[in-house]
Amino acid sequence: MDTLVTTTHAPAPAPAAAPAALRRLYLVRFAFAAVWAALLFATADTLGPLSATLLVIYPLFDVACAVVDVRSAAADGGPVRNLYLNVALSSLTTVGLALAATSGIPAVLRVWGAWAVTAGLVQLVVGVARRRMGGQWAMIASGGISTLAGASFAAQAGGADASLKSLAGYAFLGGVFFLVSALRLGRAAKSA
């Protein structure tokens, strides 16, 4: 009988600059999400030019953040492949939302729901890969919640109560998770 022998190595500590850069990015993401959510909530009763523009801007901002994150992750051997996947998903979502906005709120909720599920799974994987940095439990939880929320958006699209307000709440909650993670990264850096 053959025995498989495996060895495990403790992950190398993250370079000091990586958590600081990630912390700044998370703070920017929180501020953006809070402002974006307030603006969408104020315009969420109808799918007009302003709300449609806001819907397209959100995944574009996510693309920009993922590109910044890729640069930081590449420097410390982080989860670059998954971040590139996030860039692709958010880029496709931008196009999908631009098209869905011409069809109405249910179409928007379906596209956003699909994005929330897939991007949530990516966020969960990236959070697990970065757990050695500290402050990632919020990103892991956020990824899981995003996946569940995405399914609820798709379900809401088929109902009579289809509304963009749920997207504003989703974005704000995601921003809060970024804030919590940024604060935790700051504490981890001080204790290191």
Side-chain angles (χ1 to χ4, degrees), residues 147-167:
T147 302
L148 296 173
S152 77
F153 297 144
Q156 184 186 7
D161 62 341
S163 168
L164 298 176
K165 288 183 180 183
S166 59
L167 301 184

Side-chain angles (χ1 to χ4, degrees), residues 19-31:
L22 198 55
R23 182 174 185 269
R24 284 188 301 274
L25 179 63
Y26 286 176
L27 289 172
V28 168
R29 291 190 74 145
F30 162 71

Side-chain angles (χ1 to χ4, degrees), residues 5-98:
V5 177
T6 59
T7 56
T8 58
H9 301 284
L22 198 55
R23 182 174 185 269
R24 284 188 301 274
L25 179 63
Y26 286 176
L27 289 172
V28 168
R29 291 190 74 145
F30 162 71
F32 176 82
V35 170
W36 184 91
L39 290 172
L40 185 66
F41 193 80
T43 63
D45 292 333
T46 61
L47 185 54
L50 179 57
S51 56
T53 301
L54 287 168
L55 291 168
V56 172
I57 286 173
Y58 197 93
L60 278 176
F61 182 77
D62 194 62
V63 168
C65 289
V67 168
V68 169
D69 203 353
V70 163
R71 290 181 183 156
S72 174
D76 75 349
V80 174
R81 184 179 319 148
N82 291 319
L83 293 170
Y84 280 125
L85 178 58
N86 189 45
V87 169
L89 288 170
S90 295
S91 297
L92 288 171
T93 300
T94 301
V95 174
L97 286 171

